[in-house]
Amino acid sequence: MASLHASLLLAAALCALASSGAAASRDLRPLRAGFVVRGRVWCDTCRAGFETPASTYIAGAKVRVDCRSKTTGVKTCSFEGHTDRTGTYNILVADEHEHELCESVLISSPDMRCAKTVPGRERAPVFLTSKNGVASNVRMANALGFQKDVALPRCAQILKVYEDEDDRV
């Protein structure tokens, strides 16, 4: 009787093991938890509209990733994050967003002296699908910018370098 009970228990264990292996072998693709949207937030200290050697990066800036339906334009999801001490944000976004338009958007700056968004640099598109040939789940967004109310005094000299470069071309 004990031998029959042990045999039945062994058979049940083998069946359970075999069925779990069969289920796991159906889909061998790695599970994707989502994506990490990475970017930086900078302060345009020269009010140039682009990053210069005088630009600084803002710690504690609030950024959001918004996704909208490509067909209806209705917001489908939103994920928020903050920049670290280097002005870099890493926002975890769940799921696949192949049929959505997603973008990083500036929300706020902790630096009231640099809190007005730079026109055209307040949002950046990000493509959040694994069906675009990118192997990594990290998606880079263009830098987002706030600007000072008044440019730093040394900016005139810095911007002159860019004017000289444009004149030579």
Side-chain angles (χ1 to χ4, degrees):
M1 178 88 159
S3 146
L4 179 62
H5 183 32
S7 296
L8 288 174
L9 188 59
L10 180 60
L14 287 173
C15 285
L17 190 59
S19 67
S20 68
S25 67
R26 285 186 210 143
D27 188 1
L28 297 177
R29 292 177 296 169
L31 293 175
R32 291 188 78 99
F35 300 92
V36 175
V37 176
R38 180 175 296 156
R40 295 188 84 188
V41 176
W42 55 282
C43 179
D44 184 359
T45 57
C46 289
R47 297 183 54 85
F50 54 88
E51 292 169 270
T52 67
S55 297
T56 57
Y57 293 91
I58 302 174
K62 191 173 183 180
V63 179
R64 186 174 64 228
V65 175
D66 288 334
C67 295
R68 298 184 180 281
S69 167
K70 285 182 181 178
T71 55
T72 66
V74 173
K75 187 188 284 189
T76 56
C77 60
S78 188
F79 303 88
E80 288 190 0
H82 291 85
T83 56
D84 63 16
R85 62 181 176 76
T86 68
T88 303
Y89 61 88
N90 290 287
I91 299 175
L92 183 59
V93 176
D95 302 322
E96 180 80 16
H97 298 277
E98 179 183 10
H99 301 291
E100 295 162 79
L101 300 171
C102 300
E103 58 188 0
S104 290
V105 182
L106 279 177
I107 303 302
S108 63
S109 170
D111 182 354
M112 290 302 108
R113 294 167 296 156
C114 193
K116 181 181 174 193
T117 59
V118 176
R121 301 297 297 269
E122 69 278 359
R123 56 187 61 241
V126 288
F127 300 97
L128 301 177
T129 178
S130 58
K131 299 176 182 174
N132 61 2
V134 179
S136 169
N137 73 333
V138 176
R139 298 296 189 267
M140 301 301 293
N142 287 335
L144 305 173
F146 289 105
Q147 64 186 358
K148 286 194 168 286
D149 291 330
V150 178
L152 297 175
R154 65 187 176 117
C155 289
Q157 183 178 359
I158 291 169
L159 295 177
K160 195 154 192 72
V161 171
Y162 293 101
E163 290 172 13
D164 291 342
E165 290 291 323
D166 290 343
D167 291 343
R168 289 185 217 148
V169 176

